[in-house]
Amino acid sequence: MTMADQQIDEAVWGARADGVAALERELARMRRSMGAHAKEQAVPVARASVLNLVVFATRDAHARRAAATIDQLATRHPSRAIVLLADRQREGIAPGLELHCHLSHPGGLQQVSYEQILIRARGDADQRLASAVIPLLLPDLPVFLWWTETPPVDAPYFEQLLGLADRLIVDSGDFARPDRTLARLHAVARAGHGRYGLTDFNWTRITAWRELVSQFFDVPAWRPFLDGVTGIRIGFAVDADGREIHPSQALLFIGWLASRLGWHAVESLAPSEAGGLLFAMQRGDGEEIQTRVRPRFMRGIDEGNLSGLRIQARDGTRHGEFVVKRVEDSAHATATVIIDGTVVAERLVPLGRPGVSELLGEELTIARGDAIYEDALAALVALA
């Protein structure tokens, strides 16, 4: 059975409404009902919205995950949430839009009510999506657009929805071809200057890794090695069969290093064994940096997450290796410094495992773009 044949689960998405006016009337009715119930229970209830959140999905699982995440964030980030669920199968299906709505029902001594709306797009109704969203947006509040899969950067409906947004949120961990899509995402970020910001859950996931590498070279004795990097080895997690290949985090990390240190591409990204990548970059002094990205199976680690990295460097006659290695079945990693074959420092550090709710909650507090992320994407453009 295709998604187009499935009925909307009203226990999840709420009552159906025939048009925007009917939907607003149904929301008003539910607010009155909730207010009356709360008054009987002597529990204060407040309607609150501090932002508009528009979610695009073509998979029911992604839409339900988004709905659950929005519900978890209702107290901290009450919003008018609009979930667009579009059919992936278009042929032979008459285009149309189906609207559903419901209010949150949080417990506790004080209730904060927020509104969630589902727009189910059947068939080839892409060109009607933006016009369906516009009358549902609350005025004078920022609009966040969360795209739950690879953004179709050339599609008119993507541009139309992006035109409504103050901030675009993506997760490159879901990109089918990150080596291509991340580079193209740079054009989206560049076009958004002055209009919208861009963020990526995967960029946030590697924050701890970027901090750990920066801390290596904050040590005065090790700082000279940063100008003499000769090689980089980065691993990312795959499933036991090696079929789920998602090197987005590894690519973003390489883009970050290259953009911060002024490295340039001398070779394009080239496939290596078992879904890895092998290529070279060039330092400012002309010396090459051999770079290898390898998939690796590790227990207890989600596919695509960084599993380890090794930076090889020289300072005169000294040889240094700066290593971060994730501990299996753990939210920790070891950070190790090896000089001329001798371990001179080693420590166990927390990495954290932020979930989607935590990641989205952080992004909803930021309205501007991230210049360092955009610089990392620009570095990947040259490699792609």
Side-chain angles (χ1 to χ4, degrees):
M1 183 171 62
T2 66
M3 194 184 84
D5 299 323
Q6 295 176 2
Q7 297 297 315
I8 293 297
D9 185 353
E10 295 194 356
V12 175
W13 298 109
R16 180 171 180 170
D18 295 323
V20 173
L23 184 142
E24 292 288 6
R25 287 195 298 271
E26 177 63 14
L27 285 172
R29 184 197 66 76
M30 287 189 287
R31 284 194 293 269
R32 290 193 299 271
S33 176
M34 179 180 289
H37 178 72
K39 187 174 181 180
E40 291 177 359
Q41 301 296 319
V43 176
V45 61
R47 179 191 178 193
S49 293
V50 298
L51 57 92
N52 296 285
L53 176 60
V54 181
V55 184
F56 182 90
T58 61
R59 299 180 181 180
D60 185 65
H62 286 176
R64 286 174 179 261
R65 182 187 67 173
T69 302
I70 293 165
D71 197 55
Q72 293 171 23
L73 294 172
T75 302
R76 286 186 292 146
H77 302 285
S79 64
R80 169 161 282 194
I82 303 170
V83 179
L84 297 171
L85 180 57
D87 281 341
R88 306 187 84 183
Q89 182 179 343
R90 311 295 175 85
E91 295 182 4
I93 301 171
L97 301 177
E98 180 179 340
L99 278 66
H100 292 254
C101 64
H102 74 86
L103 300 182
S104 63
H105 295 282
L109 297 178
Q110 182 171 355
Q111 297 192 19
V112 177
S113 171
Y114 81 97
E115 302 155 349
Q116 183 164 285
I117 298 165
L118 172 72
I119 301 177
R120 165 77 175 280
R122 294 179 177 274
D124 190 10
D126 293 342
Q127 302 310 312
R128 299 168 57 184
L129 294 178
S131 59
V133 169
I134 290 171
L136 297 173
L137 296 175
L138 296 178
D140 303 321
L141 293 178
V143 178
F144 291 78
L145 174 61
W146 176 14
W147 211 273
T148 65
E149 53 197 57
T150 305
V153 295
D154 294 326
Y157 70 92
F158 174 72
E159 182 65 29
Q160 292 162 6
L161 289 169
L162 192 55
L164 306 176
D166 297 289
R167 189 167 175 85
L168 170 64
I169 301 171
V170 300
D171 186 352
S172 61
D174 293 328
F175 289 179
R177 285 297 305 272
D179 53 331
R180 297 180 182 178
T181 308
L182 284 171
R184 300 191 70 192
L185 203 58
H186 176 251
V188 175
R190 187 173 53 193
H193 288 173
R195 296 167 51 209
Y196 56 82
L198 171 65
T199 191
D200 181 348
F201 286 164
N202 248 359
W203 180 248
T204 305
R205 291 186 185 108
I206 65 170
T207 298
W209 292 81
R210 291 184 283 125
E211 290 176 346
L212 286 171
V213 169
S214 298
Q215 289 167 8
F216 282 143
F217 302 106
D218 284 340
V219 178
W222 304 333
R223 172 61 182 80
F225 285 102
L226 194 57
D227 298 321
V229 175
T230 59
I232 300 173
R233 304 289 183 268
I234 298 182
F236 64 94
V238 295
D239 61 5
D241 296 326
R243 291 178 298 184
E244 295 294 328
I245 305 295
H246 300 296
S248 302
Q249 289 188 17
L251 292 173
L252 286 173
F253 188 87
I254 290 168
W256 170 70
L257 278 178
S259 65
R260 295 301 92 193
L261 298 175
W263 298 343
H264 304 285
V266 294
E267 294 177 354
S268 297
L269 296 170
S272 183
E273 74 278 4
L277 298 165
L278 180 64
F279 56 99
M281 293 182 287
Q282 191 176 71
R283 300 191 320 230
D285 60 6
E287 294 295 319
E288 285 195 358
I289 303 165
Q290 294 299 317
T291 307
R292 183 183 293 273
V293 178
R294 283 180 169 174
R296 182 184 179 191
F297 171 68
M298 292 188 74
R299 293 189 305 273
I301 300 175
D302 292 337
E303 289 83 5
N305 282 357
L306 292 180
S307 60
L309 64 87
R310 182 181 299 267
I311 298 175
Q312 300 165 317
R314 293 188 181 279
D315 173 29
T317 60
R318 294 193 302 164
H319 179 267
E321 293 185 278
F322 302 86
V323 183
V324 181
K325 185 177 180 181
R326 190 187 290 269
V327 179
E328 281 193 321
D329 290 323
S330 170
H332 291 76
T334 56
T336 308
V337 178
I338 305 168
I339 306 295
D340 292 329
T342 302
V343 175
V344 298
E346 187 170 39
R347 60 192 178 115
L348 184 68
V349 293
L351 288 177
R353 288 177 172 171
V356 173
S357 177
E358 184 178 348
L359 292 167
L360 180 62
E362 182 174 338
E363 300 304 338
L364 293 180
T365 65
I366 306 170
R368 63 187 183 279
D370 187 330
I372 296 177
Y373 173 65
E374 293 181 22
D375 289 345
L377 293 177
L380 291 177
V381 170
L383 290 170

